[in-house]
Every structure is written in C-alpha cells, then in structure tokens.
C-alpha cells in the first residue's frame, strides 16, 4: 500500500510521502552477494580519498594549486559516494526499500551538490593545467593561493545553488500516483516523471541549471584542453611534448570517464537504453568514479608516489 498524507485546500486528495527504490536487483541471493562487494568499494573509496587528502596536507612538496584542487576533488568524492552508498548498502538487507519524501530530497540535494561542484572543479583543474603548460613562466603569478581558494569556493557555491534550485523545483511538485523509482537512488528525471502536476517549470529549471553549471563547466574544460593541445604542438622536442602531456593525462582520463558516463545517462534518449543499462551506468558514475579518481591520479603520479614513500619511511622509523 502506498503511504499517503492528506492535502487540504483545493487539493483535498492524497499525496505520496514515501518512495520505493527498486535497487539494483530484486533477487535476495544476488543482493547478499552484492552487499560485501559494494561495501568493499565504499570502504576503498573512503580510505583512498581520505588518505590522499592527508598525504597532500602532510607533504609540503604537494602544496601546489594542482594538489590543492585534487584534495578538494577527493573531499567531493567522499561526500558524493556517501550520499548514496550507505542507503544502497542498507537496502541490500531489506525486503522493502522505502525512503521518505524528505530523505529522498536530502539525498538528491547532497548528491547533486557534489556532482555539480565536481563539474566546476574539473573545469578549474583544466584551466590550471592550461596555465601550467601554456604559460609556465606566469604560472605562479596567475595561479595564486587566493585565486585557487576563490575557484574552489565558486565551484562549491555554484553546486550548492544549482542543487538547491533543482531540489526545490523537483520536490515542490505534487506526487499522488506511483511512488516507485526504478533505481537505487533518488534520480531527478525519474522522480519528476512520477509527478501528478505539470512538470514543465521543473524541467525548465533542470535545463537552465544543466546549461549554466554543467555545460559551461564542460565548455571551459574543452576550451582549456584545446589551448593545451595547441601549446603541446608548439613544443619542438618529443620528450618535452610527452612530459607536458603527462602532466594532464590523469585529469583528462578523469574528465573523460566523468562526462562520458554522465552524458550517456542524461543526454541519450530513453528509448536508446533500458532501465538495466541506466542502472549499470549510474553505478559506474555514482559508485565507481569516486573510487577510481584517486587511483588514476596516484598510479600515474611520481610526486604522490614519492610522498607516500616518505610517509611509509617515517612510520617505519617511528615504529622501530
């Protein structure tokens, strides 16, 4: 039975107060298998991102704009993953996966905030790489600590406002019919489709936020890499070109994975993919990307490897 609440005034009907999340699977045996797998992924995400933040804070050689942005990216990934993973893990152990209207709104708000902020941060990191490669002599003058702090604050603020507008636009709608969300988290497009009222204003807000925050961030990222490519082509030596490319290879990989999966879910027509395909892609960008980001940056980064070796030596020396 659908949980309801009474509505007074002109809408003296019933309204949904609980949503049902279908989750990744309705097979109990499979859910028990998935629980330890996704618990392990979540723990790795927390440990690796938190470890990267601590490592950057501990090593003075990593106190540069690039690693300042990277530490904030790790913080966003922790929050982003934590907005959905604990609920998903608990739902694996439940027969009925219900979430209250308020909890659904809160989950979407936090997840959307972190996602939009990450879009802006990736654009800031792309600009940082352009200045490092295209204008190396002016790098320390342009990328000052105050500018980096303002860029991070701008990313966080843009994500907050965009998420606030989207959450209000989505959850002020009237929900009176089906309360089943065919996913493991509260996704705005699937929630709006359940509305009994006219969703045109909410859809317009969604379009505007995606355009001003998401698309503009993507455009800045693309333009930055266009300038980076032009700068690399001007380098005469092959060794110099390879070195310049390596400084942005990790970020390029993160950008490709992040936007590739996100655009696949939200831009392709729904007729081109099923709910199962949506779930697979959603798992990838909601669960796997926050775990992969620090791995991508760490495995290809000599400075982080050196800093990690120093920390291990200190700990070894301290315990002896």
């Amino acid at each position: 039975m659908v949980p309801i609440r009474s509505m007074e005034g002109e809408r003296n009907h019933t309204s949904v107060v609980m949503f049902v999340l279908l989750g990744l699977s309705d097979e109990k045996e499979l859910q028990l298998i998935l629980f330890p797998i996704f618990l392990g992924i979540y723990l790795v995400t927390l440990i690796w991102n938190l470890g990267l933040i601590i490592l950057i804070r501990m090593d003075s050689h990593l106190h540069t704009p690039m690693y300042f942005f990277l530490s904030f990216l790790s913080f966003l990934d922790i929050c982003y993953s934590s907005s959905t993973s604990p609920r998903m893990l608990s739902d694996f152990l439940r027969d009925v996966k219900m979430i209250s209207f308020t909890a659904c709104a809160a989950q979407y708000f936090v997840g959307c905030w972190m996602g939009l902020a990450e879009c802006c941060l990736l654009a800031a990191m792309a600009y940082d790489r352009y200045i490092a490669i295209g204008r190396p002599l002016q790098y320390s003058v342009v990328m000052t600590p105050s500018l980096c702090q303002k860029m991070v604050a701008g990313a966080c603020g843009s994500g907050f406002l965009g998420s606030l507008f989207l959450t209000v636009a989505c959850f002020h709608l009237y929900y009176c019919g089906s309360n089943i969300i065919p996913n493991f988290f509260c996704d705005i497009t699937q929630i709006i489709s359940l509305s009994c009222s006219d969703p045109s204003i909410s859809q317009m807000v969604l379009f505007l936020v995606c355009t001003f925050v998401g698309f503009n961030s993507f455009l800045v990222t693309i333009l930055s890499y266009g300038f980076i490519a032009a700068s690399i082509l001007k380098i005469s030596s092959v060794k110099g070109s390879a070195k310049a490319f390596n400084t942005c290879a990790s970020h390029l990989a993160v950008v490709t994975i992040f936007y590739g999966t996100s655009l696949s879910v939200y831009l392709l027509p729904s007729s081109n993919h099923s709910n199962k395909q949506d779930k697979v892609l959603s798992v990838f960008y909601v669960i796997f990307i926050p775990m992969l980001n620090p791995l991508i940056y760490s495995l290809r980064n000599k400075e982080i490897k050196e800093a990690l070796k120093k920390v291990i030596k200190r700990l070894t020396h301290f315990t002896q």
Side-chain angles (χ1 to χ4, degrees), residues 101-112:
F101 191 88
T102 303
C104 190
Q107 184 194 68
Y108 174 74
F109 173 75
V110 175
C112 182

Side-chain angles (χ1 to χ4, degrees), residues 113-146:
W113 181 5
M114 297 302 111
L116 292 175
E118 187 159 334
C119 286
C120 298
L121 185 66
L122 289 175
M125 295 174 77
Y127 176 76
D128 170 70
R129 291 300 82 204
Y130 158 64
I131 298 297
I133 295 171
R135 299 162 61 186
L137 298 178
Q138 298 176 320
Y139 182 75
S140 59
V141 177
V142 176
M143 299 304 297
T144 60
S146 61

Side-chain angles (χ1 to χ4, degrees), residues 44-171:
V44 169
T45 300
L46 293 181
I47 293 169
W48 204 270
N49 280 289
L50 186 59
L52 191 57
I53 293 172
I54 295 172
L55 184 65
I56 291 171
R57 294 290 297 175
M58 288 179 62
D59 196 309
S60 59
H61 294 95
L62 301 181
H63 293 175
T64 62
M66 184 178 77
Y67 294 110
F68 174 71
F69 291 135
L70 181 55
S71 63
F72 191 70
L73 178 65
S74 290
F75 171 75
L76 292 179
D77 283 336
I78 289 173
C79 296
Y80 190 41
S81 181
S82 297
S83 68
T84 54
S85 291
R87 164 68 64 170
M88 181 186 67
L89 290 170
S90 65
D91 283 345
F92 281 138
L93 307 177
R94 295 175 182 172
D95 293 326
V96 181
K97 305 169 180 61
M98 303 194 75
I99 184 171
S100 69
F101 191 88
T102 303
C104 190
Q107 184 194 68
Y108 174 74
F109 173 75
V110 175
C112 182
W113 181 5
M114 297 302 111
L116 292 175
E118 187 159 334
C119 286
C120 298
L121 185 66
L122 289 175
M125 295 174 77
Y127 176 76
D128 170 70
R129 291 300 82 204
Y130 158 64
I131 298 297
I133 295 171
R135 299 162 61 186
L137 298 178
Q138 298 176 320
Y139 182 75
S140 59
V141 177
V142 176
M143 299 304 297
T144 60
S146 61
L147 177 63
C148 294
Q149 292 168 5
K150 289 176 183 177
M151 293 173 81
V152 166
C156 190
S158 298
F160 176 84
L161 291 176
S163 179
L164 181 63
F165 289 145
L166 287 175
T167 304
V168 172
C170 174
F171 288 91

Side-chain angles (χ1 to χ4, degrees), residues 8 114 122 136 183 270 283 295:
E8 298 180 356
M114 297 302 111
L122 289 175
N183 216 323
S270 57
V283 165
L295 291 173

Side-chain angles (χ1 to χ4, degrees), residues 197-230:
S197 53
D198 184 9
S200 57
I201 295 178
S202 298
Q203 290 170 342
M204 179 60 70
V205 173
L206 176 61
F207 173 77
L208 291 174
V209 171
C210 289
T211 300
F212 284 109
V213 181
F215 178 74
N216 285 340
S217 297
F218 181 64
L219 184 61
V220 170
T221 303
I222 293 297
L223 289 174
S224 296
Y225 272 102
F227 288 122
I228 288 172

Side-chain angles (χ1 to χ4, degrees), residues 243-265:
K243 185 178 179 181
F245 177 76
N246 284 334
T247 62
C248 61
S250 297
H251 180 261
L252 183 59
V254 168
V255 167
T256 302
I257 295 172
F258 179 81
Y259 281 108
T261 52
S262 300
L263 295 177
S264 297
V265 172

